[in-house]
Amino acid sequence: MAELTTTKLNAESHLLLDQPLLRLPHELARKNFKTVQKHVERERDVILSSLKSTANASLAGQDATQAISSLDSMINRMQGLKRKMESLHEEEKILHQHSKKRIQHLQDLYEIPSLADVKYDEWSRVRLNRLLVDYLLRSGFGESARALAREKGIEELVDLEVFVQCHKIEESLRRRSTQECLAWCAENRPMMRKTSGVQNNLEFELRLQHYIELRRNGQLLEARQHAQKYIAPHKDTHIDKIHQAAGLLAFPPDTQAEPYKTMYSHSRWNYLAGLFVRTHHELFSLPARPLLHIALSAGLSALKTPSCHSRYASSSANASSSTTSVCPICSTELNELARNLPYAHHTKSNVENDPVVLPNDRVYGRDRLLQMRDKLGLAPGQIKDPITAEIFEESKIRKVYIS
């Protein structure tokens, strides 16, 4: 009965990591619907207005040729709207197809009764591949991510195009261009308005950076016009920065006065790139950290002990160590990721028999130390620390009493 409880699969806890799998298609479908709604409403208003004007002109005795020309223009607009609708409909079908595949992938987990089932290994391998693709995409390796997704047949379970577009815009900001990011803001403005502070922060910072570049290049008139058109409307939310931007006109690019020196700094472009990525992920309900890091953190926390971040912890980095560590926390690859994680909660303590403490405050079993001394051929009365390789007099070790 205990074994059955241990191996029973809890699908709900597994799915805590997979919430973005369904959220992103939902957000993209909602964005697609809003785009369709915008196109339909705009064309409807134009067509109804044109139709009313044409009808009134015809009643007033307008030439039939002009009325036919006006109707042809309206037909062309409707045909253009139809093409847009067809394109958006195809996008919606793809999103629904992705959602269906993802729901089926998650449903498969509920049909697996036990962790020992071979189907669970297969499902976990698919999820691991998804996490690897997510990590590659966030790291900017779009082609590698695409190749891995294609090889494993999981294109419909990962969000390639979303992350590729995000990385392109991020890189354009690092190349000191705001054009692509401003276009993205305009495209997603309806969604951004519903997310508190997102639109104001990102779009304002982009407009401010363009203003700074105009001032840097000595285009004072253009800078003032740009500020009046794009920066002044944000006075209710960014009044302090607007005052600083106004003061920038009086300071040259090589000024040492703060905050103007910081505003002129090229490091602002990296700040803008980071701000865009955070805004993008918040808008589409994506975690700020890679899902692979989140999954690893959960496992690492279950293994972490206070000794893992000792300066002697990784025997692979300590050539004089007499032991080989297989602890993943102590490995050079995962040590930094686990540094700020909580320690594991252990209800039982595993302590070596007859524990003793060395002068360097490290605790070992007495039998283990004596066996190592004989194995290494040390002089009688000497003891060697298995980890740090320090040698001490046996008389200096002290017995430990665990209360």
Side-chain angles (χ1 to χ4, degrees), residues 191-225:
M191 292 175 63
M192 294 171 72
R193 284 174 181 160
K194 295 185 178 181
T195 306
S196 178
V198 165
Q199 180 192 0
N200 273 343
N201 287 337
L202 178 59
E203 192 163 0
F204 173 79
E205 291 290 348
L206 292 170
R207 298 297 187 184
L208 177 60
Q209 187 62 40
H210 188 64
Y211 167 83
I212 292 171
E213 296 306 314
L214 290 173
R215 174 62 186 90
R216 191 196 309 276
N217 296 328
Q219 299 172 271
L220 299 182
L221 178 60
E222 292 84 350
R224 285 196 294 269
Q225 291 173 344

Side-chain angles (χ1 to χ4, degrees), residues 95-303:
L95 290 173
H96 288 321
Q97 183 180 353
H98 287 185
S99 294
K100 182 178 179 181
K101 288 285 185 181
R102 296 177 186 205
I103 292 172
Q104 183 59 53
H105 171 64
L106 298 180
Q107 180 61 36
D108 291 342
L109 183 64
Y110 284 87
E111 297 172 359
I112 301 174
S114 168
L115 294 171
D117 196 311
V118 66
K119 292 182 179 179
Y120 177 72
D121 291 338
E122 297 173 357
W123 190 92
S124 297
R125 194 167 290 109
V126 172
R127 180 167 72 168
L128 176 59
N129 290 329
R130 288 198 296 105
L131 299 185
L132 291 172
V133 170
D134 175 83
Y135 181 79
L136 289 171
L137 288 169
R138 290 171 181 265
S139 301
F141 301 106
E143 292 304 317
S144 298
R146 195 182 300 275
L148 177 60
R150 187 184 306 113
E151 178 184 343
K152 301 300 182 181
I154 57 173
E155 293 98 330
E156 294 174 323
L157 300 180
V158 292
D159 305 295
L160 293 168
E161 298 306 324
V162 172
F163 280 103
V164 168
Q165 183 196 32
C166 176
H167 182 67
K168 285 181 179 178
I169 297 176
E170 179 188 0
E171 288 302 307
S172 72
L173 288 170
R174 297 190 191 280
R175 293 194 304 269
R176 304 176 186 178
S177 170
T178 60
Q179 183 177 355
E180 293 87 344
C181 194
L182 284 171
W184 182 87
C185 289
E187 180 183 352
N188 293 277
R189 187 169 288 118
M191 292 175 63
M192 294 171 72
R193 284 174 181 160
K194 295 185 178 181
T195 306
S196 178
V198 165
Q199 180 192 0
N200 273 343
N201 287 337
L202 178 59
E203 192 163 0
F204 173 79
E205 291 290 348
L206 292 170
R207 298 297 187 184
L208 177 60
Q209 187 62 40
H210 188 64
Y211 167 83
I212 292 171
E213 296 306 314
L214 290 173
R215 174 62 186 90
R216 191 196 309 276
N217 296 328
Q219 299 172 271
L220 299 182
L221 178 60
E222 292 84 350
R224 285 196 294 269
Q225 291 173 344
H226 177 84
Q228 290 172 356
K229 184 174 181 180
Y230 295 110
I231 296 180
H234 294 272
K235 62 181 181 298
D236 292 336
T237 53
H238 296 88
I239 188 63
D240 292 337
K241 286 196 173 183
I242 292 176
H243 288 163
Q244 293 174 3
L248 204 67
L249 295 172
F251 292 86
D254 58 354
T255 182
Q256 296 300 309
E258 292 290 355
Y260 309 108
K261 178 183 177 181
T262 302
M263 294 177 72
Y264 276 123
S265 173
H266 290 301
S267 63
R268 262 187 60 85
W269 289 104
N270 292 329
Y271 162 73
L272 289 175
L275 178 61
F276 164 72
V277 172
R278 291 193 299 273
T279 302
H280 176 275
H281 291 356
E282 182 180 351
L283 196 65
F284 291 107
S285 301
L286 294 170
R289 297 173 60 202
L291 293 174
L292 184 63
H293 282 188
I294 298 174
L296 283 172
S297 297
L300 292 175
S301 181
L303 299 172

Side-chain angles (χ1 to χ4, degrees), residues 14-141:
H14 279 65
L15 295 186
L16 291 174
L17 191 65
D18 293 305
Q19 293 180 17
L21 192 65
L22 296 180
R23 280 183 179 176
L24 185 55
H26 172 73
E27 294 295 339
L28 293 176
R30 187 171 67 171
K31 175 186 173 183
N32 183 281
F33 174 77
K34 292 295 183 182
T35 302
V36 170
Q37 187 180 39
K38 181 181 69 175
H39 286 315
V40 170
E41 290 177 352
R42 183 174 60 193
E43 295 301 326
R44 179 199 62 191
D45 294 341
V46 172
I47 293 297
L48 289 178
S49 177
S50 299
L51 191 61
K52 184 177 180 180
S53 299
T54 302
N56 291 337
S58 298
L59 292 174
Q62 184 188 48
D63 184 59
T65 304
Q66 293 181 350
I68 293 173
S69 176
S70 179
L71 290 174
D72 287 340
S73 176
M74 285 185 276
I75 291 172
N76 289 334
R77 290 191 70 97
M78 293 301 294
Q79 289 175 340
L81 176 62
K82 180 183 177 182
R83 287 191 294 270
K84 291 178 182 177
M85 295 298 101
E86 289 173 346
S87 175
L88 291 168
H89 180 59
E90 289 301 317
E91 291 181 16
E92 186 178 13
K93 286 170 62 178
I94 293 173
L95 290 173
H96 288 321
Q97 183 180 353
H98 287 185
S99 294
K100 182 178 179 181
K101 288 285 185 181
R102 296 177 186 205
I103 292 172
Q104 183 59 53
H105 171 64
L106 298 180
Q107 180 61 36
D108 291 342
L109 183 64
Y110 284 87
E111 297 172 359
I112 301 174
S114 168
L115 294 171
D117 196 311
V118 66
K119 292 182 179 179
Y120 177 72
D121 291 338
E122 297 173 357
W123 190 92
S124 297
R125 194 167 290 109
V126 172
R127 180 167 72 168
L128 176 59
N129 290 329
R130 288 198 296 105
L131 299 185
L132 291 172
V133 170
D134 175 83
Y135 181 79
L136 289 171
L137 288 169
R138 290 171 181 265
S139 301
F141 301 106

